[in-house]
Amino acid sequence: MKFKMQDKQNQLIERISDKHLVVGIDIAQLTHVARAVNYRGIVVGDPLSFENNEDGFAKLLDWINKLKNVKGLDTAIVGMEPTGHYWLNLSQWLYDRNIDVVTVNPHLVKKIKENRDNTQSKSDKKDALVIADMVKNGYYSFIRPTTEAFEKLRVLMSNRDVIVKRHVSTSNQIHRWVDIIFPELRQVFKDVTCKGAIVTLRLFPTPKELRSMEAIDIVTGWRTEMKRQPGIKKAEALIKLAKNSVGNDKAHDAYKLHLKQLLEEFDLATSQLEIVDKEVSEALGSITFTEKLLSIKGLTIVMLGGILGENGDLSQFAHGNSLLRHAGLHLVEASSGKWKGQIVISKRGRSRLRRFLYLATMCLVMNNPEFREIHAHNVKVKKMKKMKSIMKLIGKFARMIVGIARHNEPYCAEKVHPLAPLAA
């Protein structure tokens, strides 16, 4: 079945009847502004400014009910921009009171702000009116309410991104410290953030300390921190390299303090990642179709947690193409007359979701036999560029996981349509 986006657009327009009060809200940190129109776009009532608290929300609801009574309208629909996190509490408060809440694309608000007055002027009142016009014309998306598990995944994966950035930043700084103070350490430990190297940096970090030590003392120190420690030969090599090190030997105490703080930050980020990954695994366990999705060889818990955290319930999507559009991975082109522009992905969607879909597909290409075979066929037989093949496989992956979630069926390798083995 072909998925037609125009059908969805028509349905959104048809939902706005002559009995609707359409409200647009410009979201801010402290004070929001609301404007209202009817289904034809005629302004209803005066603008309303209200605070971002319970009293302000009650003031908005009272304003909406009065306008409905004055104009003889039956229902209201409230649109807002999903700017930052300031809109979340208001949208949930209205949703709990059975008021339809929708979001509009902030990029479109900026694009069409000149429709009413043909000027580049911008204000909170004007933005609220632009949002109301967009909702009236069907340019909106419904907010999908999520269960506790999906909300937990969203928070955990967002937190995980922050921890990973700190972890990578700290690792890079440790690499820099080693390059300045003890570059020869890499001849003993290829990775200066492996357990052996970290323990060495923690116990005897500088060449100045190592020069006065015996090999057996170093091995004894390793045994206090590691169950499986390097041997005596590595300890002897470490001392020999320290005696001939070209590293900086000035400001010894200051560099030691710097390294101590870096290692504390590294240990903290490492332990936090372990805790978050454990929580993500537990949250996934409470979702019905998780086990079936994880049966796809190559799909990891972190990748699936990121996808579900950004999307919510995949079974609520009508088609895999809806997931691609949600991520900003649908194709767009600019053509006119005889001129045909290049087809590219829109990137109008959730950037974090795009990243997880891309990384998950790359994992499948490396570890899943069916995806690896299709990618090889695309590159060698169809002569596609590698990235074009990956983008095509992202679409296949999106449609596959939505289908599994909607029908609650296990992964079937035969349905992926693996191709005949390539000739040698």
Side-chain angles (χ1 to χ4, degrees):
M1 182 183 70
K2 290 288 185 180
F3 176 76
K4 295 182 179 179
M5 191 63 194
Q6 188 59 55
D7 294 341
K8 178 183 177 182
Q9 188 65 37
N10 290 340
Q11 292 171 8
L12 293 176
I13 296 172
E14 290 169 356
R15 285 185 65 91
I16 308 299
S17 68
D18 57 354
K19 296 298 183 181
H20 264 93
L21 177 71
V22 183
V23 179
I25 300 178
D26 183 70
I27 298 294
Q29 182 180 19
L30 300 176
T31 304
H32 309 309
V33 177
R35 299 289 298 273
V37 299
N38 63 13
Y39 80 106
R40 294 181 59 193
I42 299 174
V43 177
V44 177
D46 297 323
L48 173 73
S49 297
F50 61 99
E51 295 181 351
N52 188 24
N53 54 38
E54 176 72 22
D55 293 337
F57 296 170
K59 182 180 178 182
L60 170 68
L61 185 59
D62 184 59
W63 178 77
I64 290 174
N65 290 332
K66 286 181 179 178
L67 290 179
K68 286 165 57 178
N69 293 333
V70 170
K71 299 298 180 180
L73 303 175
D74 295 336
T75 187
I77 183 170
V78 179
M80 59 187 72
E81 290 178 288
T83 50
H85 55 273
Y86 302 126
W87 66 283
L88 294 173
N89 293 336
L90 175 59
S91 63
Q92 185 62 49
W93 192 89
L94 292 171
Y95 181 82
D96 292 341
R97 283 151 184 79
N98 299 318
I99 295 178
D100 288 336
V101 182
V102 297
T103 59
V104 299
N105 192 326
H107 184 79
L108 292 181
V109 175
K110 184 177 180 181
K111 285 282 187 181
I112 65 175
K113 67 180 181 180
E114 299 182 24
N115 278 6
R116 283 256 177 185
D117 55 9
N118 194 30
T119 67
Q120 305 94 324
S121 63
K122 183 185 185 304
S123 67
D124 293 344
K125 293 180 181 180
K126 181 178 179 180
D127 286 350
L129 188 56
V130 170
I131 293 169
D133 280 338
M134 290 180 62
V135 175
K136 180 262 298 184
N137 291 326
Y139 301 117
Y140 61 88
S141 301
F142 279 99
I143 298 173
R144 294 185 180 93
T146 57
T147 62
E148 178 75 18
F150 292 107
E151 182 72 13
K152 186 177 180 180
L153 278 175
R154 184 184 66 81
V155 176
L156 287 173
M157 293 308 298
S158 177
N159 184 32
R160 190 181 190 279
D161 272 359
V162 175
I163 298 172
V164 167
K165 289 179 181 178
R166 285 176 30 228
H167 190 272
V168 171
S169 175
T170 306
S171 299
N172 291 339
Q173 292 182 69
I174 292 174
H175 278 274
R176 177 183 178 275
W177 191 96
V178 170
D179 290 337
I180 295 174
I181 304 301
F182 193 12
E184 294 81 8
L185 183 67
R186 299 182 189 278
Q187 298 179 35
V188 179
F189 300 102
K190 293 183 180 179
D191 180 10
V192 297
T193 57
C194 70
K195 188 170 184 179
I198 292 295
V199 170
T200 302
L201 290 172
R202 184 178 289 114
L203 296 178
F204 13 82
T206 63
K208 184 177 180 179
E209 293 174 329
L210 287 168
R211 289 169 192 155
S212 60
M213 297 184 67
E214 297 293 333
I216 189 63
D217 297 329
I218 296 175
V219 173
T220 303
W222 282 338
R223 285 174 181 168
T224 61
E225 298 285 340
M226 294 184 289
K227 293 182 178 179
R228 296 182 61 184
Q229 68 281 346
I232 193 73
K233 290 185 178 180
K234 278 200 173 184
E236 291 173 349
L238 203 61
I239 295 172
K240 183 179 179 180
L241 291 169
K243 290 179 179 179
N244 300 291
S245 177
V246 296
N248 184 4
D249 58 356
K250 298 178 182 178
H252 182 264
D253 293 338
Y255 275 112
K256 282 188 65 175
L257 177 61
H258 183 207
L259 178 62
K260 179 183 177 182
Q261 293 175 339
L262 287 177
L263 293 176
E264 289 174 353
E265 180 67 22
F266 182 84
D267 292 340
L268 176 62
T270 302
S271 63
Q272 287 178 340
L273 273 179
E274 293 174 355
I275 294 171
V276 170
D277 287 346
K278 182 180 178 181
E279 291 289 328
V280 168
S281 181
E282 292 178 358
L284 285 173
S286 62
I287 299 173
T288 56
F289 50 79
T290 293
E291 186 176 349
K292 295 179 174 60
L293 289 175
L294 288 177
S295 66
I296 303 173
K297 186 176 181 180
L299 184 60
T300 65
I301 289 177
V302 172
M303 295 297 105
L304 182 59
I307 293 170
L308 296 182
E310 287 297 303
N311 282 303
D313 191 352
L314 286 174
S315 63
Q316 299 300 314
F317 285 90
H319 193 276
N321 288 351
S322 298
L323 175 58
L324 294 177
R325 182 172 287 273
H326 190 53
L329 287 169
H330 56 291
L331 300 178
V332 295
E333 68 171 317
S335 301
S336 179
K338 295 181 179 180
W339 177 77
K340 186 174 182 180
Q342 186 179 7
I343 298 177
V344 296
I345 60 174
S346 70
K347 294 188 179 180
R348 298 279 179 84
R350 291 179 175 262
S351 59
R352 189 180 296 162
L353 176 57
R354 284 199 302 275
R355 172 159 56 88
F356 280 118
L357 287 173
Y358 172 78
L359 292 176
T361 304
M362 291 297 293
C363 288
L364 292 179
V365 169
M366 290 185 287
N367 301 294
N368 187 285
E370 295 79 38
F371 274 77
R372 187 190 307 121
E373 189 176 354
I374 296 172
H375 179 62
H377 181 81
N378 289 341
V379 174
K380 295 180 180 180
V381 179
K382 294 185 176 181
K383 305 300 180 183
M384 285 185 186
K385 292 183 178 180
K386 291 183 179 181
M387 184 53 66
K388 185 176 181 180
S389 174
I390 293 296
M391 300 310 297
K392 186 174 182 179
L393 288 173
I394 290 176
K396 187 177 189 68
F397 173 64
R399 290 186 287 272
M400 183 175 69
I401 59 177
V402 169
I404 291 174
R406 282 178 61 84
H407 304 294
N408 201 23
E409 295 179 351
Y411 170 71
C412 180
E414 289 73 16
K415 290 185 178 180
V416 184
H417 300 301
L419 301 163
L422 297 173

